[in-house]
Amino acid sequence: MKFSEKWLREWVDPSISTEELAHRLTMIGHEVDGLEPQGHGLDGVVVGEVISAAKHPDADRLRVCQVDTDEGVKQIICGAPNAREGITVVVAKPGVYVPGIDTTIGVGKIRGIESYGMMCSEREMELSDEHDGIIELPSGEVGQAFVDWLADNDGAKIDPVIDIAITPNRPDALGVRGVARDLAARGLGALKPRVVGTVPGQ
């Protein structure tokens, strides 16, 4: 069974690390088959701002963008329909691995014009299946690590996923609250109460 660490901690929140939590789950009989750290593919990806976007002279669908990053202004060729001046974007600079396309970004020429990076979509960052355009952030400082921005603004997207093996004699552990109850019974935090609303009678 897979569940996010955040979901589990909504029911019981012991003051231990993710790795220690996985170890303790195994020790109480819920063998952890997998721990998938989210956000590991975001190393080196930063927040940038598009300061200009002009039509590529040799391609109708491409734009030549000047993007402010932690390393100064970089020229990036982009084919996304929403690439335009003034938006805050997610930038993979040369040397950064982009998991969604299984490629390390390099300096290249696109229709004769050099490009020094890539502005990314959510699918390219493996955050969702959204790929109709590049990510537009509602906030963020130029040069800020994107993983830090997510931690502050959309932590669910980098929340680790825990996969535990459920034996036939433990149907009570087929729900996150059941797993949380086991942790609390071993002294690893206090089980938070379940709030049940009142159902009016007929």
Side-chain angles (χ1 to χ4, degrees), residues 9 21 35 46 56-57 67 70 85-86 92 98 106 130 135 157 160 172 188 190:
R9 289 185 183 272
L21 177 61
L35 180 61
V46 299
H56 192 294
V67 184
D70 59 327
E85 179 180 339
V98 178
E130 177 60 47
I135 298 169
K157 288 187 175 173
D172 59 303
L188 296 168

Side-chain angles (χ1 to χ4, degrees), residues 11-43:
W11 290 107
V12 63
D13 192 10
S15 300
I16 55 179
S17 68
T18 300
E19 292 73 17
E20 180 65 15
L21 177 61
H23 174 70
R24 295 297 186 92
L25 284 168
T26 297
M27 291 297 99
I28 65 173
H30 301 306
E31 182 180 359
V32 174
D33 282 342
L35 180 61
E36 304 169 14
Q38 305 299 298
H40 63 282
L42 304 179
D43 295 340

Side-chain angles (χ1 to χ4, degrees), residues 50 52-53 61-63 65 78-90 119-122 124 130-137:
V50 180
S52 72
R61 295 184 180 181
L62 298 179
R63 299 186 73 77
C65 301
C78 184
N82 62 328
R84 65 189 188 281
E85 179 180 339
I87 62 173
T88 302
V89 294
V90 176
M119 293 183 285
C120 303
S121 69
E122 289 207 353
E124 288 158 348
E130 177 60 47
H131 65 285
D132 289 337
I134 54 177
I135 298 169
E136 293 186 44
L137 299 178

Side-chain angles (χ1 to χ4, degrees), residues 133-193:
I134 54 177
I135 298 169
E136 293 186 44
L137 299 178
S139 63
E141 297 293 325
V142 169
Q144 179 183 13
F146 181 46
V147 70
D148 291 341
W149 186 93
L150 283 173
D152 293 338
N153 296 277
D154 198 358
K157 288 187 175 173
I158 56 171
D159 189 25
V161 174
I162 301 168
D163 184 7
I164 63 172
I166 304 296
T167 55
N169 65 323
R170 293 301 310 273
D172 59 303
L174 289 171
V176 172
R177 183 172 168 80
V179 176
R181 186 170 47 245
D182 278 355
L183 285 168
R186 291 296 178 95
L188 296 168
L191 185 66
K192 297 175 184 177

